[in-house]
Each structure stands twice: as structure tokens, then as C-alpha cells.
Amino acid sequence: MEGYPYPTWIEVNLSIIENNVRNLIKHAGVPLMAVVKANGYGHGSVEASKAIISGGASYLSVARYCETIPLRNSQITNPILVFGMVMPEEVDEAIANDVTITLYSPEQVGFLAQRAAALGKFVTVHLKVDTGMGRLGVLPHEVLDLVRHVHALGNIHIEGVYSHFATADEPDHPLIRLQLQRFKEVMETLHAEGLQPRWVHMTNSSALLYEKGTEFSMVRAGAAVYGILTRAGVPYPAHTLRHALTWKARLISVKVMPKGWGISYGQTYVTEDEEVIGVVPIGYADGFRRMSGNEVLIEGQRMPVVGRVCMDQCMVRLPKKYPIGTEVVIIGEQGSESIYSEELAARWKTAEHDPTSALSLRIPRIYTRS
Ligand SMILES: *Cc1c(COP(=O)(O)O)cnc(C)c1O
């Protein structure tokens, strides 16, 4: 059998990731912080990070401290920012491993300063400002007090200041400009206080690609790095980003079912005639949602998934008896047809970031270069 010896696998083209990064940096005109949380949006965080770094990215970022460990264990020495909470139990190790911590609430300040002092070091932080996302971050009117507290205690180095857009995926949403204005005001206040952080960053992929004037001293992007489009139906301004991930499987069973034969749990699909039904060894535990309307590609044609998606398998209705082992594409291109993660996101009523990020770790990743 040609190809890879797995019932299902993911091919990640690292040259595409590297090129996407190059193009994003060129587009931005400032350094890039590439987001590699959630196993690099499902692409494999270590391999993706290496490609991202050879593409010229300066900074990496993840959601949780544990996500930095495989990166540091792979001799990746670039700075890494953790967006979420670094637990008190993790702080010493984070400082020792040169991991940048997000400072998003006044309660963190005393503990961080105390641990850094105990270790005889500085802890590097990026101060997160909530300019309208309503998630993590210090509110604009509380920033100055917090910074004064930090400076009074010492041992905390505010290397960066950042904020996060809530509506950048919606063209012309008024909150985009309002958040930008609030962030600029905060930066002016901080400058007046004598703080000149090296890194000031606010974009996500949507803002970077579609909203000029949001770059500051560094841009932050996840989805775009992997070629995932974040504004539904709006093409990339530069047609230079490509999808890096392809999810494939093989038909593991093909049989002619008699008319009136029910398919899968709940028997929600019953053959209307004698039908050829194939089994594809992927299911909801792999990240293929148990929703109706799914399709896969075989020989460059769309085939409907029929009956409920199981944990590890699903069934497709075929126009003819394909041989066992026939290649199936779930995400990606085949012939002139394609099903990308954006289409799955629309079908599953979720974010464009979701389908690849939710791909199970049990699916082997194969790294290719074009
Ligand atoms: C996930 C995340 C990003 C990346 O967003 P994209 O839309 O994938 O570019 C940026 N910033 C923060 C704080 C995030 O949590």
C-alpha cells in the first residue's frame, strides 16, 4: 500500500508553516509572536515551532505552562509567553526555564516578586490589559496602581504589555477601534510613568491581516501561521498563506448493504436501496464531530457521511466498491476538491481555530516539506 502504514494520519507541511511566517512578518513589518498553544493548533507544537522559528518568528506563546515543557525539552530557546495562569507550584520552574509569565491581576504581584527575590532573579512578565475582551487582564483604570506596586516591590521585569481583541473577526465592528483607543491610552499612561516595554502587542490573526494600525512593536498570530482564515468568507489580503495540515485515512471496510439496512448507533440512516457503504476509521474521539452533514473526499469527490459518527469510526455512502485501503481526505485537498478546517468550523458552528486544534494526539503526525 502506498503512503503511510496507518489507518489514519495527519500530514503537516512544515515548509508551508515557514513560508506563512515569512509572509506574515513581511506583511506586519514588525516581529512576530507565533501562538503554538493546543499542540500548535493540532499541527504538533514542537515541529511547528521549529518551522516557525526558521521562518523568522521572535517569540512563541502558549496557553498553559505545561505546554512550554516539550518546547524547552526540544532545545527551543526562544522566549515563550504563557497567556494563562502559571500556578504558584509552577512559578519557580517557569522562572528557571526563562518562561515569560502573563501578569493579569494584582493578586499575582506579591507572590511573583517574592519567588523571584528568593531565587535571586528577575521574573519576566507581559502585563495583560483588558480593553474589552472581558477575560483575563487588568482593567485600564487599574493599570497604573498595579505598575507602581510592581516597581515598588522589584524583581519583576515588565518586558511587554498586551491586550486581546474580542471582535477582530468581524469586519468594521466598532469595538475594534474602541479597544485600540483604550490600549493606546493605557500605553500613554505607562510611558508617562517611565515604562517603555520592549514588546507591545495586540493583534490576533484577524487584526494583523485586516486591521492596519494595530501592529505596535510586535504582532501576535496563531491561526494565520497555519494558514487558517479567521474572517468567514473574506479572502486573505495577500494570497500568500496556505493551509499546512491534511488529515487522511483509509477505507477499512467496503460492503454492499441491502435495502433497508440501518447504519450506526441509533440507526438514524437506513439504506434506501442496495448501497455501497464504506467505513472510515475516524470518529469523534479523533476530533470528527458527531453532527450531521459531514463529508469526506475520495478520488477527489465529496462523499456523504451517513449515520452517526462513532468514537473511532464513521460510515460513508460510496458510488461504487472502492478497494480497501483507498485514501480518504477529511481535511485538505484531493484532486481539485478541498475541505478545509474553515468549512468544518462552519458546519460544526464553531471557531475556525477549533477543528484542527481538537485533533486527537492519538493520530500520528507526519512532517513533510514541499
Ligand atoms: C489564541 C490567542 C491568540 C491567537 O489568536 P488567532 O486568532 O489564532 O491569531 C492570540 N492571543 C491570545 C491571548 C490568544 O489566547
Side-chain angles (χ1 to χ4, degrees):
M1 202 173 287
E2 266 185 51
Y4 302 102
Y6 304 110
T8 183
W9 70 98
I10 289 165
E11 294 173 19
V12 177
N13 187 326
L14 296 173
S15 307
I16 291 182
I17 293 182
E18 200 177 311
N19 269 316
N20 287 346
V21 165
R22 268 203 200 95
N23 289 324
L24 289 169
I25 294 170
K26 206 189 305 168
H27 178 84
V30 293
L32 170 73
M33 171 188 279
V35 185
V36 299
K37 63 189 178 187
N39 195 29
Y41 289 46
H43 295 63
S45 68
V46 169
E47 297 298 328
S49 293
K50 288 179 178 170
I52 283 165
I53 291 160
S54 39
S58 308
Y59 229 109
L60 300 173
S61 49
V62 293
R64 306 187 186 143
Y65 174 70
C66 66
E67 295 181 293
T68 69
I69 294 170
L71 303 178
R72 285 286 181 255
N73 285 346
S74 311
Q75 276 68 55
I76 292 171
T77 54
N78 291 57
I80 309 173
L81 171 67
V82 176
F83 293 141
M85 183 179 188
V86 176
M87 301 296 286
E89 295 78 2
E90 296 170 328
V91 164
D92 284 15
E93 198 181 299
I95 295 172
N97 286 341
D98 279 325
V99 168
T100 308
I101 293 176
T102 292
L103 175 55
Y104 61 82
S105 99
E107 289 89 341
Q108 292 168 283
V109 176
F111 184 76
L112 288 178
Q114 184 237 317
R115 287 321 306 156
L119 296 166
K121 289 196 159 199
F122 267 81
V123 53
T124 304
V125 302
H126 285 204
L127 171 64
K128 175 88 180 272
V129 185
D130 182 355
T131 55
M133 174 69 186
R135 196 171 65 180
L136 295 183
V138 184
L139 292 168
H141 67 273
E142 294 172 341
V143 168
L144 194 54
D145 277 352
L146 181 137
V147 167
R148 286 179 176 156
H149 188 203
V150 166
H151 287 157
L153 291 181
N155 288 89
I156 299 178
H157 173 220
I158 304 180
E159 182 205 46
V161 180
Y162 74 108
S163 190
H164 191 52
F165 286 111
T167 59
D169 56 335
E170 295 176 48
D172 303 320
H173 195 291
L175 186 59
I176 299 172
R177 293 293 132 191
L178 183 57
Q179 284 196 264
L180 194 57
Q181 186 196 326
R182 287 173 179 156
F183 190 57
K184 284 180 176 163
E185 283 166 12
V186 166
M187 290 316 302
E188 277 165 26
T189 309
L190 294 178
H191 291 155
E193 186 69 8
L195 186 73
Q196 294 284 350
R198 175 159 177 220
W199 301 119
V200 180
H201 47 109
M202 193 174 185
T203 68
N204 52 12
S205 295
S206 299
L208 163 59
L209 290 172
Y210 304 109
E211 299 290 336
K212 276 273 147 215
T214 57
E215 294 86 1
F216 297 95
S217 71
M218 180 159 67
V219 291
R220 198 168 73 239
V225 165
Y226 310 100
I228 297 167
L229 189 72
T230 52
R231 267 192 186 174
V234 186
Y236 298 124
H239 295 278
T240 47
L241 302 180
R242 289 175 55 207
H243 292 94
L245 180 147
T246 307
W247 183 14
K248 293 180 177 174
R250 296 182 185 287
L251 287 174
I252 61 162
S253 161
V254 178
K255 43 182 209 258
V256 180
M257 305 283 203
K259 180 180 174 172
W261 203 260
I263 306 293
S264 193
Y265 293 116
Q267 304 271 283
T268 56
Y269 181 83
V270 179
T271 56
E272 287 172 7
D273 212 327
E274 203 171 67
E275 288 178 10
V276 185
I277 301 291
V279 178
V280 185
I282 60 152
Y284 55 77
D286 297 299
F288 197 61
R289 303 283 152 86
R290 204 191 83 157
M291 295 180 84
S292 58
N294 285 317
E295 291 179 328
V296 297
L297 302 177
I298 296 173
E299 289 195 332
Q301 303 287 321
R302 286 172 180 259
M303 308 279 162
V305 172
V306 293
R308 282 195 189 138
V309 173
C310 311
M311 186 184 279
D312 323 292
Q313 294 163 91
C314 64
M315 274 58 84
V316 282
R317 192 177 63 228
L318 304 171
K320 62 172 201 197
K321 272 198 91 178
Y322 291 109
I324 302 290
T326 298
E327 198 168 280
V328 181
V329 168
I330 304 104
I331 299 179
E333 298 157 29
Q334 197 186 49
S336 55
E337 196 49 92
S338 58
I339 297 177
Y340 291 124
S341 50
E342 294 87 337
E343 178 184 334
L344 294 181
R347 192 188 297 150
W348 296 340
K349 299 190 176 21
T350 185
E352 289 81 4
H353 311 59
D354 180 351
T356 64
S357 302
L359 290 171
S360 168
L361 284 171
R362 76 173 171 175
I363 311 170
R365 267 67 168 175
I366 308 287
Y367 296 98
T368 65
R369 296 194 158 270
S370 51

